[in-house]
Amino acid sequence: MQLQTLVGSILSLKIEPITSSDLIVIKKCLEKENIDLISSIDVSSVVYELRDYDNYFSLSINKIGISKNYENNTIALKRKFFDHLERKDKSIIYDILNQIL
């Protein structure tokens, strides 16, 4: 799983923007699975890593949301990032969402 896939999957299911408090939970869940995708819980660092995906994500210094292109079409965002994941990766995403929501 790549960072953009993780973020896109979470946003397509959560709808609400990802904040720094969400990143703390996400990082802990990933560490539990021995996955090192997020180098920092600082939103601006993650935003920098996602800069090439601004068509999909609305990026600011304190949150990561869904771009205007997809805010009314989260199904397309879900198809792009979540639907093709393996069962184990989907399970990790659901675990993250259960702890965030």
Side-chain angles (χ1 to χ4, degrees):
M1 181 170 20
Q2 297 177 320
L3 180 60
Q4 66 272 14
T5 305
L6 173 74
V7 170
S9 295
I10 290 171
L11 287 174
S12 71
L13 299 170
K14 180 183 182 228
I15 312 298
E16 297 296 319
I18 296 171
T19 63
S20 59
S21 60
D22 294 335
L23 285 178
I24 293 169
V25 172
I26 293 167
K27 187 164 177 61
K28 285 181 183 178
C29 288
L30 293 175
E31 286 174 349
K32 185 173 69 176
E33 298 291 330
N34 294 319
I35 300 171
D36 185 26
L37 280 181
I38 298 177
S39 57
S40 171
I41 55 170
D42 178 38
V43 174
S44 60
S45 295
V46 176
V47 163
Y48 179 77
E49 293 180 49
L50 294 171
R51 67 191 176 282
D52 294 334
Y53 294 88
D54 60 350
N55 185 48
Y56 302 103
F57 309 129
S58 170
L59 306 170
S60 70
I61 59 170
N62 60 356
K63 64 183 176 180
I64 303 164
I66 299 172
S67 75
K68 296 274 187 212
N69 299 337
Y70 287 91
E71 67 184 4
N72 293 320
N73 193 1
T74 56
I75 292 172
L77 194 67
K78 182 179 172 282
R79 285 183 186 142
K80 169 75 176 158
F81 293 106
F82 181 77
D83 286 352
H84 72 278
L85 289 175
E86 294 179 15
R87 181 175 297 222
K88 181 180 182 204
D89 291 337
K90 286 181 179 181
S91 177
I92 293 168
I93 300 291
Y94 287 135
D95 185 39
I96 290 168
L97 289 170
N98 284 332
Q99 293 188 41
I100 289 175
L101 300 176

